[in-house]
Amino acid sequence: MRRLLFPFVSIVGQDDMKRALLLNIVDPGIGGVLIKGEKGTAKSTTVRSLAQILPGRMSVDGCPFHCDPSRPDIMCPYCSERYASNPDLPTVTERMKVVELPLSATEDRVAGTLDIEHVLKTGEKKFEPGVLAQANGNLLYVDEVNLLDDHIVDLLLDSAAMGVNYIEREGVSFSHPSRFILVGTMNPEEGELRPQLLDRFGLSVDVRGDKDTEQRMEVVRRRLAFDMDPVAYTKGTESDTDSVRERIVRARELLPKVTSDESVLKTVVTVTTNFGIDGHRADITMMKAAKANAALEGRTAVTKDDVRAVASLVLSHRMRRRPFEEEAFDTGELERCLQSV
């Protein structure tokens, strides 16, 4: 029997975490999200519950890499060969999934393996797909990402950035599409990620337990009600869940129509410069996130409010800090910066 997940729409508070996740679903090009927080703050519960609101997608029927039939330019070798002989490939509609990466996963388990013996005997490449193949077109969730080996994290981030997984063994190579939304969660008390890896995540959120008495009481009420009868509780949230999914679908359709003028671009660059951010990745990510936020709100024009909504998500993990300095994004400074533009 399939285990029911606590509904996404029943998560109390944690608005920044939910916004960061929804923005990435609307535009996977934002670059994923890193969620940092102490244990018991609903990090894993929220990410896993996304399976209920993820939209559907088209893929080539029978393809182990779930290739997008509308993108022949990024198909796997098998689908490219089939497409060359007949562009009318059989398709199937399936819901996007949350694919979890085990903490103990090896590089071969993540990237997949080439059967060198089969290649030598037959001259044909035989590839055993890994987690990155399952993740193509889906959401890849890595719990305790800070405890993964650095070379595994590098592999995940490189694949997420390039949209391709490339494997080479004994001079034999194979590549396949690997476009996914990367979501990592971690408890900072158990160790940090290297700054170079932090910057590669598009957005970052620091989550904390609710201090408000009423909100904490509501968390307990909802959890106990769900545990008492998961089926009935989930059924009672179906309407709200469907509404969120439909909102995401509309936002994804609206996103290509969203525009921003020079004043918004100037606002973004002024904000990143004011906070001393190196490089241009933050500027580009903030523009993408602001556009996705506008689409999520049902608008086709980016405003200063969109920049305000996403600035802390884009900048909080990219700011230079002295040793032992507390991680805290200065919203007052952001507001002064926005008012000056």
Side-chain angles (χ1 to χ4, degrees):
M1 181 177 177
R2 186 170 61 90
R3 183 172 61 92
L4 288 175
L5 300 168
F6 188 79
F8 179 85
V9 295
S10 289
I11 302 292
V12 178
Q14 308 298 4
D15 293 335
D16 283 345
M17 173 167 58
K18 290 187 283 191
R19 181 183 297 274
L21 291 166
L22 292 178
L23 292 177
N24 271 278
I25 297 171
V26 173
D27 182 7
I30 288 173
V33 57
L34 176 65
I35 303 171
K36 300 184 287 182
E38 59 194 15
K39 57 184 180 295
T41 48
K43 302 186 300 295
S44 298
T45 299
T46 304
V47 177
R48 291 183 176 118
S49 71
L50 289 174
Q52 303 161 341
I53 63 168
L54 287 172
R57 59 183 293 263
M58 294 286 287
S59 64
V60 177
D61 191 16
C63 174
F65 309 104
H66 316 285
C67 284
D68 184 346
S70 67
R71 294 294 307 275
D73 55 316
I74 56 171
M75 284 180 177
C76 70
Y78 308 132
C79 289
S80 293
E81 187 176 338
R82 293 169 65 188
Y83 184 85
S85 59
N86 181 11
D88 189 20
L89 295 176
T91 61
V92 61
T93 300
E94 54 189 6
R95 180 82 65 82
M96 288 177 65
K97 297 181 292 187
V98 175
V99 177
E100 290 198 44
L101 177 71
L103 183 60
S104 59
T106 62
E107 184 172 346
D108 284 348
R109 175 75 180 87
V110 175
T113 56
L114 274 167
D115 189 336
I116 301 300
E117 185 178 350
H118 182 82
V119 174
L120 294 175
K121 285 182 176 178
T122 67
E124 296 178 352
K125 295 180 182 178
K126 184 179 180 182
F127 179 72
E128 290 294 332
V131 174
L132 291 178
Q134 298 173 36
N136 186 40
N138 293 308
L139 185 148
L140 178 59
Y141 172 43
V142 186
D143 192 14
E144 298 183 312
V145 63
N146 53 323
L147 302 184
L148 280 179
D149 289 338
D150 281 347
H151 73 281
I152 298 290
V153 180
D154 283 329
L155 174 62
L156 295 174
L157 292 170
D158 285 343
S159 295
M162 296 187 300
V164 176
N165 177 35
Y166 181 82
I167 309 97
E168 184 170 355
R169 299 285 187 276
E170 307 294 335
V172 180
S173 62
F174 184 88
S175 63
H176 67 80
S178 186
R179 295 171 177 264
F180 53 85
I181 302 166
L182 180 62
V183 178
T185 56
M186 58 177 276
N187 183 348
E189 295 175 354
E190 298 171 345
E192 290 284 355
L193 278 176
R194 301 199 316 265
Q196 302 95 314
L197 298 180
L198 273 175
D199 182 56
R200 298 279 292 280
F201 280 94
L203 308 180
S204 176
V205 188
D206 293 295
V207 296
R208 294 175 176 82
D210 292 310
K211 302 300 182 186
D212 181 78
T213 303
E214 281 301 322
Q215 278 206 321
R216 290 178 74 97
M217 289 170 62
E218 185 61 22
V219 170
V220 176
R221 286 192 201 102
R222 295 186 184 186
R223 186 72 224 193
L224 291 178
F226 174 79
D227 289 343
M228 188 175 296
D229 192 341
V231 175
Y233 187 91
T234 302
K235 192 170 184 60
T237 62
E238 278 182 357
S239 178
D240 291 337
T241 297
D242 291 342
S243 295
V244 174
R245 190 186 309 113
E246 289 165 8
R247 183 185 176 199
I248 292 171
V249 171
R250 288 196 299 270
R252 286 167 69 110
E253 293 172 349
L254 190 62
L255 184 62
K257 303 173 186 175
V258 175
T259 60
S260 60
D261 57 25
E262 287 295 304
S263 66
V264 172
L265 180 57
K266 184 177 181 181
T267 299
V268 167
V269 173
T270 301
V271 169
T272 56
T273 303
N274 181 79
F275 279 88
I277 306 300
D278 295 327
H280 303 292
R281 185 174 283 140
D283 307 73
I284 295 168
T285 302
M286 195 180 298
M287 282 298 299
K288 288 183 176 181
K291 285 188 173 185
N293 192 74
L296 201 57
E297 299 295 332
R299 292 181 279 104
T300 56
V302 179
T303 68
K304 193 177 289 188
D305 286 338
D306 295 310
V307 178
R308 180 182 287 109
V310 304
S312 65
L313 305 177
V314 176
L315 301 180
S316 62
H317 60 305
R318 293 185 165 95
M319 294 163 53
R320 290 192 295 268
R321 291 184 178 84
R322 299 182 184 90
F324 310 111
E325 187 177 359
E326 187 71 23
E327 290 192 18
F329 184 79
D330 192 338
T331 54
E333 183 179 353
L334 171 64
E335 198 56 43
R336 290 190 293 273
C337 185
L338 290 172
Q339 295 299 329
S340 69
V341 182

